[in-house]
Amino acid sequence: MSNALSRWWRSLDVYANRKVRALLFLGFSSGLPFALVLTTLSARLRQAGIDRSTIGYFSLVGLAYSLKFFWSPVVDRVRWPLLSALGQRRSWMLVAQVGIVAGLALLALADPANDAIRVAWLAVFTAFCSATQDIAVDAYRIEAADERDQGAMAAAYQIGYQVALIVAGAGALTAAAGYGWQTSYFVMAACGLAGVVTTLLIAEPDATRGRASKAAVDPAQVRGVIARMRASVLLVAVAATALVGALLGAALPADSRLALEVSFGAILLVEIVLLALLKIAALRPALERLVASTVLPLEDFFQRYGTRTALMILLLIVTYRLNYTTMGVAANTFYLDMGFSLEQIALVSKIYGIGMTMLGAVFAGVLIRRVGVAKTMLLGVVALSAANLLYAHMASIRPGVAWLAVVVSADNVANGIAGTAFIAFMSSLTSAKFTATQYALFGTLWSLPAKSIASQWGNIVDAWGYPAFFVYTAAIALPSVLLVLWLIRHQRRTDAASAQAG
């Protein structure tokens, strides 16, 4: 017993790694602008007298985070000439972080009451820089550590991110209450310098993990892909994309279609450009660059895992966060409907709850090191479903603050475990040549469907009530549970085959 406890305790040694500690600050840098261009900005706009409908349109700024896959190939392959000494990852992080600081400082100077359009454009610029930083930080995190340490890297990132949400949420609101919004946003811009300093102090990931070969995509491979491309196949792809987009859009209310329409529009644009370049011989160099940036990352993924396994993995990515995202968007409204005050929600759900998420993230980092990513994912998604059932019970009684604390504890610890394991899982799937592009693709795959489904929570509650809604959020985790069980079995078979071959 003592030996087992000792081994678990030694698993915490990974958090002493300086690369893991650096992810605390990079996670903070990534989380800081998120609230400042969304929830905190919404509060500022409301105090400036902006109507609710206009504030609702400002939430579209968040599309930058869901659609970052479409410019991730640029971050993966394009180098900044004057910043080459920093390396591919650090140079992009630095440019994005400087953009975030500048954007927040300009937002501090802007007056939404007199020029809401300028505020909107500054929010879009800041969100774009923030999403770009996320692409570069994710790639750095994956390349800077071995697969065995990815759980701890993800946990450190999660902790830093959650701290940033407190600072950019409660901290920014408190500063605004005492000193005004301009001072608040200037303070937040100064906090953004933490990312700049961290980027300048850390080292570029080791070249042995593929950094030096990022630009060295085999030209013969590119030409081979182009040789297999057929105009008729691309035309079928264009038609299929348009049809699927139209069918999915028809299933959603008009106010929930924008993210879907933008995503499928971008895919259609890439397909049409590929079709046009394929037919124009003079544009062959442009076709080769586009294929290397957008087609090869997908082909690489399917080649490494095989079509069947790759499709199962992508289906797992799409479904894994459905239950948490669907429940999460309803949480604050549910708390208010249960009679809790804003002060109670802020204390228990935001401050205490974020602390529980951090605890879950740290525990997940240890679990991943001890039992692996897949089993930790299974624990996380099952625990989240159990927490949703606790919410269902809570909705059927007259809960006090103690009940709120219990349910928030279960939900946030489970989310810390599931979120950290999920990040480590997606990180393990990327190739050294296409780290940023592939990870951004996985992020888009899980976030867009989850957010589209989550947008219907109000209709479900209105029709069936909160208890049935939370049972529904627990039930929609079943596909991901089955897929994680498949993953565990698949990994056992793969390990057994490798052992026999060795």
Side-chain angles (χ1 to χ4, degrees), residues 364-409:
V366 176
L367 275 176
I368 290 169
R369 200 173 175 88
R370 297 297 304 171
V371 303
V373 171
K375 291 180 180 178
T376 307
M377 288 177 66
L378 181 62
L379 173 63
V381 72
V382 170
L384 273 174
S385 292
N388 288 346
L389 294 176
L390 285 176
Y391 274 109
H393 176 69
M394 181 177 168
S396 64
I397 62 175
R398 290 184 175 273
V401 176
W403 251 110
L404 178 64
V406 169
V407 176
V408 165
S409 296

Side-chain angles (χ1 to χ4, degrees), residues 35 72 75 135 151 189 194 203 243 298 315 343 384-385 399-400 419 449 453 468 492:
S72 60
V75 180
I135 296 170
L243 178 61
L298 291 172
L315 189 59
E343 290 78 9
L384 273 174
S385 292
I453 293 174
R492 284 176 179 168

Side-chain angles (χ1 to χ4, degrees), residues 41 45 111 115 130 248 350 356 437 451:
L41 182 61
L45 293 172
D111 182 2
D115 195 350
S130 176
L248 291 176
K350 303 304 178 185
M356 290 296 99
T437 303
K451 289 175 182 177

Side-chain angles (χ1 to χ4, degrees), residues 25 44 50 100 169 175 193 230 261 300 328-329 346 383 399 407 419 440 465 473 497:
F25 297 97
R44 182 184 181 185
I50 306 298
I100 291 168
L193 293 173
R230 297 288 184 270
E261 290 171 349
D300 169 82
V329 295
V407 176
T473 61

Side-chain angles (χ1 to χ4, degrees), residues 57-414:
Y57 285 116
F58 269 81
S59 66
L60 297 177
V61 168
L63 282 175
Y65 297 95
S66 296
L67 302 178
K68 59 190 176 183
F69 162 70
F70 294 106
W71 68 90
S72 60
V74 177
V75 180
D76 228 355
R77 301 184 58 76
V78 175
R79 298 177 181 274
W80 288 93
L82 299 179
L83 299 174
S84 58
L86 291 176
Q88 183 79 3
R89 302 309 178 203
R90 293 168 66 218
S91 61
W92 273 101
M93 282 193 282
L94 183 64
V95 169
Q97 289 160 349
V98 170
I100 291 168
V101 172
L104 293 177
L106 291 172
L107 278 170
L109 296 171
D111 182 2
N114 295 322
D115 195 350
I117 293 177
R118 180 168 183 260
V119 172
W121 281 112
L122 288 172
V124 169
F125 169 77
T126 306
F128 176 79
C129 291
S130 176
T132 302
Q133 177 188 218
D134 289 349
I135 296 170
V137 169
D138 286 334
Y140 171 85
R141 173 179 51 76
I142 294 167
E143 295 170 355
D146 296 325
E147 184 174 343
R148 187 166 178 262
D149 293 333
Q150 284 300 321
M153 297 285 277
Y157 177 87
Q158 286 265 73
I159 292 169
Y161 200 99
Q162 296 296 325
V163 171
L165 292 182
I166 296 175
V167 172
L173 293 175
T174 301
Y179 304 98
W181 283 109
Q182 185 177 91
T183 299
S184 175
Y185 267 74
F186 272 131
V187 171
M188 294 299 107
C191 290
L193 293 173
V196 174
V197 173
T198 302
T199 298
L200 294 174
L201 291 178
I202 61 177
E204 183 76 356
D206 193 343
T208 59
R209 295 191 174 89
R211 182 197 62 178
S213 62
K214 287 291 181 298
V217 174
D218 186 2
Q221 185 181 8
V222 176
R223 290 192 293 270
V225 171
I226 294 174
R228 295 194 300 272
M229 293 173 66
R230 297 288 184 270
S232 58
V233 175
L234 284 173
L235 282 171
V236 171
V238 168
T241 301
L243 178 61
V244 172
L247 292 174
L248 291 176
L252 294 173
D255 58 358
S256 301
R257 295 175 189 164
L258 183 61
L260 188 73
E261 290 171 349
V262 172
S263 301
F264 275 83
I267 295 170
L268 276 171
L269 180 61
V270 172
E271 291 171 343
I272 292 170
V273 170
L274 281 171
L275 181 61
L277 293 177
L278 189 63
K279 303 299 289 184
I280 303 174
L283 297 178
R284 182 63 176 255
L287 176 61
E288 291 180 354
R289 287 194 294 271
L290 185 60
V291 167
S293 298
T294 60
V295 179
L296 283 190
L298 291 172
E299 184 182 69
D300 169 82
F301 177 73
F302 278 91
Q303 282 184 343
R304 284 187 292 116
Y305 290 98
T307 301
R308 180 180 177 277
T309 300
L311 289 174
M312 294 288 284
I313 289 172
L314 293 179
L315 189 59
L316 172 56
I317 290 172
V318 168
T319 59
Y320 188 75
R321 296 296 274 168
L322 285 179
N323 65 338
Y324 175 75
T325 304
T326 305
M327 179 270 155
V329 295
N332 286 339
T333 304
F334 169 68
Y335 299 146
L336 290 170
D337 289 346
M338 289 293 101
F340 295 108
S341 68
L342 290 175
E343 290 78 9
Q344 290 171 326
I345 295 171
L347 178 63
V348 179
S349 175
K350 303 304 178 185
I351 298 176
Y352 172 76
I354 287 176
M356 290 296 99
T357 302
M358 295 179 192
L359 179 63
V362 172
F363 183 50
V366 176
L367 275 176
I368 290 169
R369 200 173 175 88
R370 297 297 304 171
V371 303
V373 171
K375 291 180 180 178
T376 307
M377 288 177 66
L378 181 62
L379 173 63
V381 72
V382 170
L384 273 174
S385 292
N388 288 346
L389 294 176
L390 285 176
Y391 274 109
H393 176 69
M394 181 177 168
S396 64
I397 62 175
R398 290 184 175 273
V401 176
W403 251 110
L404 178 64
V406 169
V407 176
V408 165
S409 296
D411 182 45
N412 284 267
V413 169

Side-chain angles (χ1 to χ4, degrees), residues 451-490:
K451 289 175 182 177
S452 298
I453 293 174
S455 67
Q456 300 306 301
W457 75 269
N459 295 328
I460 298 173
V461 172
D462 289 342
W464 301 99
Y466 276 116
F469 167 72
F470 288 119
V471 172
Y472 156 75
T473 61
I476 61 175
L478 182 59
S480 62
V481 171
L482 296 176
L483 286 165
V484 174
L485 290 172
W486 165 84
L487 178 66
I488 293 171
R489 184 181 180 188
H490 174 74

